[in-house]
Amino acid sequence: MPLTAASPLTELKGVGPVRARRLAAAGYRSVGSLLRHLPLRYEDRRRLSRVADVAGEGAHTLRGRVLDTRAVRVWRRGLSLVRGTLDDGSGRLPVVWFNRPYLAGQLDPESTYLLHGPVRRRGERLELVNPSCEAAEGAVHAAAVVPVYPAIGELGPAFLRRLFDALLEGFDPRRELADPLPEELRRRYDLPPLGEAVAALHRPGERADGEALNRRATAAHHRLVYGELLEMQLELGLRRRRVGERPKPHRYRLDAGVRRRLAGLAPFRLTGAQERVIGEILADLESPRPMRRLLQGDVGCGKTIVAATAMVAAAESGLQAALMAPTEILAEQHRRTLGALLGDRYRIGLVTAGAPGAAADRERLASGELDLVVGTHALVQEAVRFGRQGLAIVDEQHRFGVAQRQALTGKGEHTDLLVMTATPIPRSLALTLYGDLDVSLLDEMPPGRSPVRTEVRPVARREETYDWLEGRLAQGGRAYVVLPLIEESDAVEAASIERHGAELAERLSAFEPRIVHGRTPAEERARSLEEFAAGRSRVLIATTVIEVGLDVPAASLLVIENAERFGLAQLHQLRGRVGRGGGEPAHCVALHGELGEEGRRRLEVFAASRDGFEIAEADLELRGPGDLLGTRQAGLPALFLADLAAHRRWVERAHADARELLERRRDPAAAAVIERARRRAGRRSPEEGEARCVSC
Ligand code: ADP
Ligand code: MG
C-alpha cells in the first residue's frame, strides 16, 4: 500500500504499537512529520579499510567479526566500558565502547559486523574508539555516506536508518512534499524544493560530498537552514509589528525651542554618525508608535550623549526617562555626566542598591517629581514605579537578560525603548537576538582618537612591563591595571587583588594608587574613582568592575594580567577604557600565563584587530554562538540545522526577506508563509522544539 504524508507510522516495517508510542512521545505520528527528523551528521563508509592497512589515527570503516566482547569494570561513576577485538581476516584491532554496556551481550562472535569510527593511538597500540556497529548483513547503505540520526529515546541511529529506509521505500518526498516557501524566494538563491532537499539529506547517495554534508553546506542544507531562519525572522518581525499596532498614549513636544536646546547639549561637536542617530531616535519618539531601537556602536564612539539627548527630549515633553546600567560604578558615572551636562534644569535621581538616596528617589519617581533617573537593575524591582514614564534606555544591553529589558519597559505602558550596546555583536547574532528592534549604528569615532597600541606578552615579562609602566607614570601618564581575581585562590593560578594588587600598590605608591573591586564599599569606590578621574590618583588597580562604560579620557595606559582568562569581547571592552581622547597615544599590555590553542588565537586576534565587529566575528568563530544566543530565553524557536556562525549569510538574507514579506503581506504567497510562522509561534510551548527540525 502506498504511503502518504498522513500515513500513521505503524504502517512502516519494524514499527509496532510500542515503538509507535515512543515516536509519538517525541512528536512524530505520521510519515510526513517523521521526515522532519533529519540527520545531524554523516559517516562516510564508501571506503572499506583493512585492519592490516590501518597505520595511524583517523576515521575508518571496517568489516569483520567482533571477538571477546566483555564489560570491563571501571571505578569511575557514570562510566562503563566494553572491550572487544575486531578480526577481519587481515589482522586484529582492539575496540572500546564507552557507556554502551548492553553491547557486551549482544554481539555474536560468529557474525560479521560493519564498524565505523575513529582509530586512536593509546600508548603503543591503535584502538578503534566508540564505533557505530551494525550487522553487516542487514546494514543499509553499507558503501555509502550514511546519515547519523539523533536518537529518539532508546531508538538509536542504526534502527532509525532502517526505519527511514522502510519509509523512503514507500514514500518519495520529492513527489509528495509540497514546498511552502514561495517559489520566487527559492529561485532567488537557487535552492532545491523542500521535498528534494529532505530526500537528499536522508539519503545523500553514492556521490555525495561527505565533508560538505558535515559542514551543513550542501544545497539541501541551505534550503532547510534558510527556512528555519526565515521563520525565525518572520516571528521577530511579527512581534515588532505587534508593538507598533497600538499607538502610545504619551506625546513628545519637540518644537523649535526644544530642538535648539537639544542641539546645544554637547560640549563638543557631534560626529556625523551621532547627528544621524539622534535624528533617527527623535523621529521614533515623535512617531505615534512606541520606539523599539537598538543603538550599536563600538567602545568609545560616544553613545552617552545620544542617550542624554533622548532623555532631555522626554523631560522637555513632561515625561520621565530612565537610564539603566549594568554596574553601580557605571550608573554613578552616568549620574555625574548627566549632572554636568544638564546642570540643575532637571531633577535627576539615582537608584542603585548602594545609593544612599535610593529609597527617597524611588518615591520621587513614583510621584512624578523626578524628571530623569539613572540606576542599575535595582530599577526593575517590584517596588519601583514610574509616575509618568515615557522613555527607557538600557546601556550595555548585552549585560542584561531579555527578561530585565522587558521588565523595565513593563513599568510604563508603551514605553519607548532604546537599548545600547558596545559589545559589538556580530550582525548575524544581532539580527537574531534583536531582530524585533530597529537598528541604529554609530560607525564613526569622535575626532582625535589614535588606535590603542596593543602588545601581548608572556608573564615572564611582568617585571619589565611594570618598569616601563613606572617610567610612563613618572612622565605624567595615567593607568589602569586589571587583575582577574579579588582573592588569592588555590584552585586557579592567577593574579589577585589581595596579593598581587597589594604588592603593586606598594611598588607604585608614588602615584597614589587606588584599588577597586566588586566588594569595595560604594562610598570608598566612588571616592577612588573620582580621585582617579581628577588625577589625584594616577593608577587604578581593579578587577573587571571597570570593564564597561567607565570614561576617564586622560587615562592612556592599561595593563591586563592573566589576559588568557578573559574572553575576546571582554578584552576589547577593557581596552576601550583607554585612548578615549586624552591626547597622547594609548598603550595596552596584555600579560598572559600558559596558553591553550584557543587562548593563543584569541590573544592574536586581540593584538591584531582594533575593530569591534571584526573581533566579535572572530569570537563567534572561536567560541560558537553558545550562550550569546539566548534565543530560547527570548521564546524563539530553537535552531536545528541552522548555525549562526556558519550560516551568517543566510541570516542576513532571511532577515531582509522577512521584512520584505511583511511589507507585502497582502500578496497571497507572502500571506501564506507569514500565517505559517504565526501559527507555529502560537503553538510552541517553551519545552517544545528543541530537538525537532523547524522546517518551513
Ligand atoms: P561609549 O559609546 O563607549 O559609551 P562615551 O559616550 O562614554 O562612549 O564617549 C566616550 C568619550 O568620548 C567621552 O569622554 C565623551 O565625552 C567623548 N565624546 C563623545 N562624542 C564626542 C564627540 N563628538 N567629540 C568629542 N568627544 C566626544
Ligand atoms: Mg558607554
Side-chain angles (χ1 to χ4, degrees), residues 303-304 330 334 395-396 549 580:
K303 292 181 291 293
T304 314
L330 189 49
H334 281 326
D395 193 16
E396 311 286 355
R580 294 169 84 87

Side-chain angles (χ1 to χ4, degrees), residues 267-271 274 297-305 333-334 395-396 420 422 442 446-447 449 549-553 576-577 580:
F268 38 71
R269 219 188 126 139
L270 294 177
T271 63
Q274 283 168 325
D298 209 346
V299 197
C301 68
K303 292 181 291 293
T304 314
I305 189 68
Q333 175 185 286
H334 281 326
D395 193 16
E396 311 286 355
M420 311 201 292
L442 273 182
R449 301 278 168 90
L550 205 63
D551 184 43
V552 179
R577 293 316 111 222
R580 294 169 84 87

Side-chain angles (χ1 to χ4, degrees), residues 8-9 40-41 83 159 244 388 454 562 571 683:
L9 295 174
L40 283 178
R41 173 167 92 63
R83 292 191 178 281
F159 169 77
R388 48 194 169 86
T454 305
N562 293 100
L571 288 168
R683 267 207 311 266

